[in-house]
Structures are given as C-alpha cells and as structure tokens.
Amino acid sequence: MHKAAGPVVLAAASLTVLCHAQGKPEAPQGIHKIRHIIIIMQENRSFDSYFGTFPGADGLPTKDGAFTVCNPDLKTGQCVSPYHDDHDRNGGGPHRAVDSIRDMDNGKMDGFMIAAEQGRKGCQAAADPACVGSARPDVMGYHDGRDIPNYWAYAQTYVLQDHMFEPNASWSLPAHLYEISAWSAYCTRHNDPMSCSNALDNPGAVPDDTFRRHSRAGLERNGPVGTPPIYAWTDVTYLLHKYHVTWGYYVVPGGPGCKGDTNSEKFCTPGIWNPLPYFDTVKNDDQLNRDQPIANFLKQAHDGTLPSVSWIAPSFAESEHPPALISKGQTWVTTLINAVMQGPDWKDCAIFLAWDDWGGFYDHLAPPVVDQNGYGLRVPAIVISPYAKPHYIDHQVLSFDAYLKFIEDDFMGGARLNPKTDGRPDPRPTVRENAHILGDLSNDFDFDQNPRKALVLSPHPKTDLTAPN
C-alpha cells in the first residue's frame, strides 16, 4: 500500500527532461515529448460501421464498385450487404462473449444479422449487452464522412488505426476494465489479488448494473444488488502512483454509482464505464478524488494543468451507444478535443480516441487470438497530436493494451502490469502489453517534425444524419 503523494514529481525511471553536467535542462526526446496522454472512450461501434469506406483503410471489401460481403437474414432469406445508413439513432446488436462467437462464425463473419434478429427487444436498460435497440436489424449499416465529418476530419488529418481490436471479446464493463488494467476478473476477497479469477463476460457487477441476470450470481455480484464489486487485481493506477505520475478519470457528472443506463437517467456516466473507484489499489492509495467531474477536465485543459494521464467516459446520452444519437456523441468528443487544442497542454499531448466494443455492428475482419479472452472485434481508433504523423493509416495490430504500453513506456521506464515484476502478483493469464503481435503506438508519431497546428472544428458540423422519428 502506498500513502498519498504530496507534490507530484516524476520518478527517475520516467524522467523526460535530461540534464547536462552543468545542470542545464535538455529538451525531451522521442516518446517523452508527450507529457499528457488523453484517452477518450466512446461506445459500441465497429471499425467498418464508421470507417469501412475510408480511402486507404482495410475497410469493407469491394470489387468493381460493389461490396463482396453480406450476412444472411433468416427472416427474408436474403443476404444483406453493407449499406449507407444516415440515421442518427441506431439499434445495433447484442455484444456479449457468446454474441461475438456467433457474429464471427469461425472466421466467416456472417452471423451479425442472425445475432441481431435473435437478440432481446424492448429492454428497459439500453446498455444491456443482450439487447437490440431497433425492430429491424441495422447492423450491416455504415456511416461515412457525410454523417460523421469531424471523425473523418481527424482521421484524414492525423492517424487512423484500422487494426485496433477490442482487447476482450465481450461487452462494455470488461472492455473498460481492460482499458485500465489489461484484465477482467471476478474476486472474492478485498486486497487479495490471488482471489481473482478470469471473467471475460461476468466480472463483479457495479452497484448500478441492474440489468445483469442472476443465473450466475456467484460470478456476477459480490453480494445483493447494489453491493460494490471487489476489484482486487492490479490496475495501471497502482504503477502510476508508484512512479509518482498524475492521473485523472473524468465522468459525467462525477463519482461512482451513477445509474446512467436507465431510461430516466441518461445524463451521467454509468458505473459500467467508470470502474476505477472500485479497485482496491485506488482506495488504498487514497486516489479516489482522481475520479472527478468532466468540468474539472475542461478547466484543467483551459488552465494547462492536466494530469499526465487522463481517461474520459461519457454520459449515456453522449456515448453513441445505441440508441443514443451519433450527432450528440460527435459534439461531445469535438468539444473535449477543442478544449485541449485551445489550451496550453496541446503542445505536448497525445489524444487517443476509440470506441469500447463493436456493439453488434458488422466488421469483416476476424480478430487474432491472443489468449482465452481476446482479441475482440475491431473498433474505430484515432490518434490526435501535434506529433502525430500527417494523413497516416496505421495497419499495426493493436488493442487497448497498447495504450497501457504507451503510458508505461512514456512515464514509467517500461514497467508492466506483470505479476512477476510489479510487486503485486495476480493470476492474470497474459501480460498483455508484451503480446508479440501487439503494435507500438510510438510508430504513429514523428517526433522530429515541427509540432502540428491544432484542428479546431465546429462541435455542430453540418451532416446528412436524419433525426429520429
């Protein structure tokens, strides 16, 4: 256990300002030019559903101008090809582990329509991963620059990653656990990482997660409904605290326990997207105050006082998780990026924008297998930075584990969430940052180029999206 830090300084292993013998500071080099890492995580879109027609990307396969892929529709007997969908509100499909298996169909990638047709309808909790948000499946629909012009502008100007895979083949809560810890587990005892066991689909449920069924209650909850989960394994904030690196996790309106997945309370961040307050390490290190309202992020961006590492999770209404509106999500993200670009910290920041899972939407590319948990299906991902390569498409195999690797390499001298080295052993099956197929995010940057100007965009761009009825 570590006591709360006083004034924050970087440990020697993570120093990015070197000194001459005379004591004069030397400019940071390479990856260490990045002093602020910001991870913005939106919800439930596959790569092909947002960038399947992006020029130069590994998108929807075509021949002679026609799509060469389709998915069978059991109700009509037809095979449905991808089509442009200009609806602002989508329904998506189920996206649990069992659904990912059905969608991929042993690599044939032809089960998306079937999964959507067989998913639950009319669910009260929109974030239930077993549910479908529309009467007719729209999982074969895709959007493009006419619908999401700001996202396409970021991708055209900076770096689009076309092989970013969800780290786990499952739904939102495990994905967000992987985002900050490279694992999803169920634990039985506080402060005992070895009491944790692998849980791809059913980690300990957060208090406001009321839609999870109780058929496997022993794997889903650490007590009655409303009981906080036990997250006893090691997350990256343990290393950040150990190396005296500042961090913040920003939510709407702030704090754990927000019931953002219900129809009546969509204007705050659901607990399934805000799991950090339940980690033993965060509580033990007196870091709970680093889980904070998004207003703090906007002020810190304005003042140039952002922490070294920031994670941002949206409210349901701004998440793009069906049936939330795409336009509201794009406005939210643009507002966040503009705040950074117009503030003092833009000069040395890296913004990583991604979507947490595929949401049941079609993607044509079968993911590689890393361990029993993933990878999952591809998701959209963009790198925005004054040092990002211009107009670049990164074809490396990536997952959210690459974000952790970048953080660890930039600020902690390459330390890893490794039970053999991090001083806090847990039984995770794989040290994900060291996976041999995982690419290196530093390849998306040119640290020798002159820092690039900010691309400040209108939060309310003109689109072809059609409003819901």
mmCIF file of all heavy atoms in Angstrom, residues 374-392:
data_model
loop_
_atom_site.group_PDB
_atom_site.id
_atom_site.type_symbol
_atom_site.label_atom_id
_atom_site.label_comp_id
_atom_site.label_asym_id
_atom_site.label_seq_id
_atom_site.Cartn_x
_atom_site.Cartn_y
_atom_site.Cartn_z
ATOM 1 N N GLY A 374 -9.404 -12.807 -25.784
ATOM 2 C CA GLY A 374 -9.425 -11.894 -26.929
ATOM 3 C C GLY A 374 -8.317 -12.187 -27.904
ATOM 4 O O GLY A 374 -7.609 -13.176 -27.767
ATOM 5 N N TYR A 375 -8.219 -11.364 -28.900
ATOM 6 C CA TYR A 375 -8.842 -10.064 -29.038
ATOM 7 C C TYR A 375 -10.322 -10.192 -29.432
ATOM 8 O O TYR A 375 -10.763 -11.223 -29.935
ATOM 9 C CB TYR A 375 -8.130 -9.225 -30.078
ATOM 10 C CG TYR A 375 -6.713 -8.816 -29.696
ATOM 11 C CD1 TYR A 375 -5.734 -8.705 -30.654
ATOM 12 C CD2 TYR A 375 -6.364 -8.556 -28.372
ATOM 13 C CE1 TYR A 375 -4.442 -8.321 -30.320
ATOM 14 C CE2 TYR A 375 -5.077 -8.178 -28.023
ATOM 15 C CZ TYR A 375 -4.107 -8.056 -29.005
ATOM 16 O OH TYR A 375 -2.837 -7.697 -28.673
ATOM 17 N N GLY A 376 -11.039 -9.057 -29.261
ATOM 18 C CA GLY A 376 -12.394 -8.956 -29.752
ATOM 19 C C GLY A 376 -12.404 -8.314 -31.128
ATOM 20 O O GLY A 376 -11.364 -8.137 -31.774
ATOM 21 N N LEU A 377 -13.586 -7.933 -31.568
ATOM 22 C CA LEU A 377 -13.756 -7.351 -32.900
ATOM 23 C C LEU A 377 -13.138 -5.962 -32.993
ATOM 24 O O LEU A 377 -12.920 -5.286 -31.981
ATOM 25 C CB LEU A 377 -15.244 -7.307 -33.256
ATOM 26 C CG LEU A 377 -15.808 -8.699 -33.595
ATOM 27 C CD1 LEU A 377 -17.209 -8.855 -33.070
ATOM 28 C CD2 LEU A 377 -15.772 -8.921 -35.100
ATOM 29 N N ARG A 378 -12.907 -5.529 -34.231
ATOM 30 C CA ARG A 378 -12.276 -4.223 -34.461
ATOM 31 C C ARG A 378 -13.188 -3.079 -34.056
ATOM 32 O O ARG A 378 -14.415 -3.140 -34.203
ATOM 33 C CB ARG A 378 -11.925 -4.041 -35.936
ATOM 34 C CG ARG A 378 -10.730 -4.775 -36.414
ATOM 35 C CD ARG A 378 -10.282 -4.243 -37.764
ATOM 36 N NE ARG A 378 -11.354 -4.203 -38.747
ATOM 37 C CZ ARG A 378 -11.257 -3.640 -39.945
ATOM 38 N NH1 ARG A 378 -10.131 -3.052 -40.317
ATOM 39 N NH2 ARG A 378 -12.278 -3.660 -40.780
ATOM 40 N N VAL A 379 -12.561 -2.015 -33.580
ATOM 41 C CA VAL A 379 -13.265 -0.789 -33.233
ATOM 42 C C VAL A 379 -12.542 0.394 -33.885
ATOM 43 O O VAL A 379 -11.352 0.299 -34.204
ATOM 44 C CB VAL A 379 -13.340 -0.586 -31.703
ATOM 45 C CG1 VAL A 379 -14.194 -1.671 -31.058
ATOM 46 C CG2 VAL A 379 -11.948 -0.551 -31.085
ATOM 47 N N PRO A 380 -13.221 1.515 -34.094
ATOM 48 C CA PRO A 380 -12.537 2.697 -34.633
ATOM 49 C C PRO A 380 -11.549 3.252 -33.620
ATOM 50 O O PRO A 380 -11.774 3.193 -32.407
ATOM 51 C CB PRO A 380 -13.686 3.696 -34.868
ATOM 52 C CG PRO A 380 -14.948 2.889 -34.784
ATOM 53 C CD PRO A 380 -14.653 1.740 -33.876
ATOM 54 N N ALA A 381 -10.448 3.807 -34.118
ATOM 55 C CA ALA A 381 -9.448 4.402 -33.230
ATOM 56 C C ALA A 381 -8.641 5.437 -33.999
ATOM 57 O O ALA A 381 -8.245 5.205 -35.149
ATOM 58 C CB ALA A 381 -8.533 3.334 -32.647
ATOM 59 N N ILE A 382 -8.399 6.577 -33.362
ATOM 60 C CA ILE A 382 -7.720 7.712 -33.981
ATOM 61 C C ILE A 382 -6.688 8.255 -33.001
ATOM 62 O O ILE A 382 -6.921 8.282 -31.786
ATOM 63 C CB ILE A 382 -8.734 8.816 -34.354
ATOM 64 C CG1 ILE A 382 -9.788 8.276 -35.325
ATOM 65 C CG2 ILE A 382 -8.041 10.030 -34.965
ATOM 66 C CD1 ILE A 382 -10.946 9.237 -35.576
ATOM 67 N N VAL A 383 -5.548 8.702 -33.526
ATOM 68 C CA VAL A 383 -4.517 9.365 -32.737
ATOM 69 C C VAL A 383 -4.445 10.821 -33.172
ATOM 70 O O VAL A 383 -4.303 11.107 -34.363
ATOM 71 C CB VAL A 383 -3.144 8.707 -32.926
ATOM 72 C CG1 VAL A 383 -2.084 9.430 -32.091
ATOM 73 C CG2 VAL A 383 -3.194 7.234 -32.546
ATOM 74 N N ILE A 384 -4.537 11.741 -32.212
ATOM 75 C CA ILE A 384 -4.530 13.175 -32.480
ATOM 76 C C ILE A 384 -3.450 13.811 -31.617
ATOM 77 O O ILE A 384 -3.474 13.695 -30.390
ATOM 78 C CB ILE A 384 -5.908 13.782 -32.153
ATOM 79 C CG1 ILE A 384 -7.005 13.108 -32.984
ATOM 80 C CG2 ILE A 384 -5.914 15.292 -32.381
ATOM 81 C CD1 ILE A 384 -8.414 13.412 -32.522
ATOM 82 N N SER A 385 -2.494 14.464 -32.260
ATOM 83 C CA SER A 385 -1.375 15.044 -31.511
ATOM 84 C C SER A 385 -0.602 15.983 -32.423
ATOM 85 O O SER A 385 -0.594 15.796 -33.650
ATOM 86 C CB SER A 385 -0.438 13.925 -31.027
ATOM 87 O OG SER A 385 0.764 14.453 -30.483
ATOM 88 N N PRO A 386 0.060 16.989 -31.857
ATOM 89 C CA PRO A 386 0.933 17.819 -32.698
ATOM 90 C C PRO A 386 2.094 17.022 -33.280
ATOM 91 O O PRO A 386 2.717 17.458 -34.243
ATOM 92 C CB PRO A 386 1.426 18.908 -31.741
ATOM 93 C CG PRO A 386 1.194 18.374 -30.374
ATOM 94 C CD PRO A 386 0.015 17.469 -30.476
ATOM 95 N N TYR A 387 2.370 15.843 -32.717
ATOM 96 C CA TYR A 387 3.442 14.994 -33.239
ATOM 97 C C TYR A 387 2.907 13.789 -34.019
ATOM 98 O O TYR A 387 3.685 12.942 -34.454
ATOM 99 C CB TYR A 387 4.337 14.518 -32.096
ATOM 100 C CG TYR A 387 5.139 15.631 -31.473
ATOM 101 C CD1 TYR A 387 4.760 16.183 -30.254
ATOM 102 C CD2 TYR A 387 6.248 16.159 -32.117
ATOM 103 C CE1 TYR A 387 5.482 17.220 -29.679
ATOM 104 C CE2 TYR A 387 6.980 17.202 -31.555
ATOM 105 C CZ TYR A 387 6.591 17.724 -30.341
ATOM 106 O OH TYR A 387 7.312 18.757 -29.779
ATOM 107 N N ALA A 388 1.588 13.689 -34.199
ATOM 108 C CA ALA A 388 1.032 12.590 -34.979
ATOM 109 C C ALA A 388 1.464 12.715 -36.440
ATOM 110 O O ALA A 388 1.538 13.811 -36.994
ATOM 111 C CB ALA A 388 -0.491 12.595 -34.881
ATOM 112 N N LYS A 389 1.754 11.581 -37.048
ATOM 113 C CA LYS A 389 2.086 11.602 -38.471
ATOM 114 C C LYS A 389 0.898 12.143 -39.263
ATOM 115 O O LYS A 389 -0.257 11.828 -38.964
ATOM 116 C CB LYS A 389 2.432 10.193 -38.947
ATOM 117 C CG LYS A 389 3.724 9.642 -38.370
ATOM 118 C CD LYS A 389 3.992 8.220 -38.851
ATOM 119 C CE LYS A 389 5.297 7.677 -38.300
ATOM 120 N NZ LYS A 389 5.546 6.271 -38.716
ATOM 121 N N PRO A 390 1.139 12.965 -40.271
ATOM 122 C CA PRO A 390 0.030 13.530 -41.034
ATOM 123 C C PRO A 390 -0.557 12.533 -42.024
ATOM 124 O O PRO A 390 0.173 11.784 -42.675
ATOM 125 C CB PRO A 390 0.682 14.713 -41.752
ATOM 126 C CG PRO A 390 2.122 14.333 -41.889
ATOM 127 C CD PRO A 390 2.448 13.513 -40.670
ATOM 128 N N HIS A 391 -1.879 12.507 -42.089
ATOM 129 C CA HIS A 391 -2.599 11.745 -43.121
ATOM 130 C C HIS A 391 -2.123 10.289 -43.145
ATOM 131 O O HIS A 391 -1.858 9.723 -44.206
ATOM 132 C CB HIS A 391 -2.413 12.374 -44.496
ATOM 133 C CG HIS A 391 -2.347 13.873 -44.480
ATOM 134 N ND1 HIS A 391 -3.413 14.650 -44.079
ATOM 135 C CD2 HIS A 391 -1.337 14.727 -44.797
ATOM 136 C CE1 HIS A 391 -3.059 15.931 -44.163
ATOM 137 N NE2 HIS A 391 -1.820 16.001 -44.587
ATOM 138 N N TYR A 392 -2.064 9.661 -41.963
ATOM 139 C CA TYR A 392 -1.425 8.350 -41.856
ATOM 140 C C TYR A 392 -2.440 7.308 -41.408
ATOM 141 O O TYR A 392 -3.278 7.566 -40.537
ATOM 142 C CB TYR A 392 -0.276 8.428 -40.841
ATOM 143 C CG TYR A 392 0.515 7.156 -40.664
ATOM 144 C CD1 TYR A 392 1.307 6.669 -41.686
ATOM 145 C CD2 TYR A 392 0.468 6.451 -39.460
ATOM 146 C CE1 TYR A 392 2.046 5.505 -41.523
ATOM 147 C CE2 TYR A 392 1.204 5.290 -39.280
ATOM 148 C CZ TYR A 392 1.984 4.822 -40.319
ATOM 149 O OH TYR A 392 2.720 3.674 -40.155
#
